[in-house]
Amino acid sequence: MKVLVAVKRVVDYNVKIRIKPDGSGVDTANLKMSMNPFDEIAVEEAVRWKEKGLATEVVVVSIGPQAAQDTLRTGLAMGADRALLIKTDAEVQPLAVAKLLKAAAEREKPDVVILGKQAIDDDSNQTGQMLAALLGWPQGTFISATEKTGEGRLSVVREIDGGLETLSLAPPCVLTTDLRLNEPRYASLPNIMKAKKKPLDTVAPEELGVDIAPRLTLVKVEEPPRRKAGVIVGSVGELVDRLKNEAKVL
């Protein structure tokens, strides 16, 4: 089973982001960048499949500038075999990402495409679903457990509002990972050194025949309002009165 894992370069989750003075977006200058945490979980799952003998090859793919090579090298250090960078300095929105990943899937011909359920920078939670629709493949989203069953099928447990749902999928399929699927490993120094020698190919969106022109316009980015200080009420009656007449939530 060949696995294609999509990863995204984002601002590290430990970094406090800053909004640009003109409200046009997030200021990423001189900020630490890293692999999207949900995508890191996806890489870990694919590598575990390979260690169990369920996967024969793990290929990581990313879309972004030249600096995204660092993110791909992280995936290679975790255990992936090869990497593909779809290089572009332009803004790439979820639909364009899905189209590019579709082209990458048609090029690599994987049995499974696995990616994080969402990126922590835009929180769109759209790419996996769009990719499955474009490919015409079955999908398992928000998965928290996977298992290979008979006849080459995959059994996945996905988290839904009402609890857990188990699906049986026949490859080729698309999976998106949730937080409880696994705990990603730290890449060891020897593996980081080995990753530098692993194959990493670069291709442009134009070579894949994909139009990545934005379909959405960002109007404004602003910080959420600061939380007001709490107050101590003297009785349940006063609490109900404040909730009803001041907060207007009752």
Side-chain angles (χ1 to χ4, degrees):
M1 181 170 69
K2 182 176 181 179
V3 184
L4 181 67
V5 186
V7 298
K8 185 177 184 181
R9 178 176 180 263
V10 299
V11 176
D12 190 87
Y13 66 90
N14 287 314
V15 174
K16 179 176 175 57
I17 62 171
R18 305 183 301 271
I19 305 299
K20 292 179 179 179
D22 60 359
S24 62
V26 174
D27 184 4
T28 59
N30 302 316
L31 292 185
K32 179 184 177 183
M33 308 295 283
S34 62
M35 185 186 297
N36 179 48
F38 290 103
D39 297 338
E40 201 172 9
I41 293 170
V43 175
E44 175 66 25
E45 191 67 11
V47 172
R48 290 188 185 188
W49 288 355
K50 185 182 176 185
E51 292 173 342
K52 294 176 183 177
L54 302 179
T56 55
E57 185 180 25
V58 177
V59 181
V60 287
V61 57
S62 188
I63 302 164
Q66 185 71 18
Q69 282 196 9
D70 295 339
T71 304
L72 290 172
R73 293 294 180 192
T74 300
L76 293 172
M78 291 175 67
D81 300 293
R82 292 191 294 111
L84 173 65
L85 172 62
I86 303 176
K87 184 181 173 183
T88 176
D89 294 319
E91 176 195 3
V92 187
Q93 295 177 348
L95 179 58
V97 172
K99 289 180 178 179
L100 289 170
L101 292 180
K102 174 179 181 287
E106 290 172 343
R107 168 176 165 157
E108 293 290 339
K109 296 181 169 45
D111 298 288
V112 178
V113 178
I114 182 169
L115 61 160
K117 69 173 184 178
Q118 64 195 78
I120 62 172
D121 52 1
D122 58 17
D123 277 332
S124 293
N125 180 22
Q126 296 175 344
T127 302
Q129 294 88 329
M130 287 178 173
L131 175 60
L134 291 172
L135 288 170
W137 292 3
Q139 61 179 295
T141 56
F142 319 124
I143 61 171
S144 58
T146 64
E147 181 183 0
K148 192 169 184 180
T149 59
E151 301 177 354
R153 299 180 71 89
L154 286 173
S155 175
V156 301
V157 177
R158 61 187 302 264
E159 303 195 359
I160 59 175
D161 290 341
L164 301 175
E165 178 182 62
T166 301
L167 301 176
S168 178
L169 305 175
C173 59
V174 175
L175 304 179
T176 71
T177 60
D178 213 328
L179 281 174
R180 280 155 288 280
L181 180 58
N182 60 52
E183 182 72 28
R185 70 193 67 190
Y186 288 101
S188 64
L189 181 58
N191 286 336
I192 292 174
M193 299 306 293
K194 290 177 183 177
K196 295 181 179 180
K197 298 181 180 180
K198 290 184 178 180
L200 193 159
D201 297 328
T202 301
V203 65
E206 296 77 20
E207 296 177 58
L208 299 175
V210 177
D211 176 17
I212 62 171
R215 266 62 173 181
L216 305 174
T217 301
L218 178 63
V219 177
K220 187 178 182 182
V221 177
E222 57 186 6
E223 294 187 9
R226 294 184 178 274
R227 294 184 61 180
K228 296 180 180 179
V231 295
I232 299 177
V233 296
S235 65
V236 174
E238 183 182 353
L239 172 62
V240 173
D241 180 68
R242 284 178 174 269
L243 291 174
K244 185 176 180 180
N245 298 313
E246 293 183 19
K248 299 189 182 302
V249 296
L250 294 180

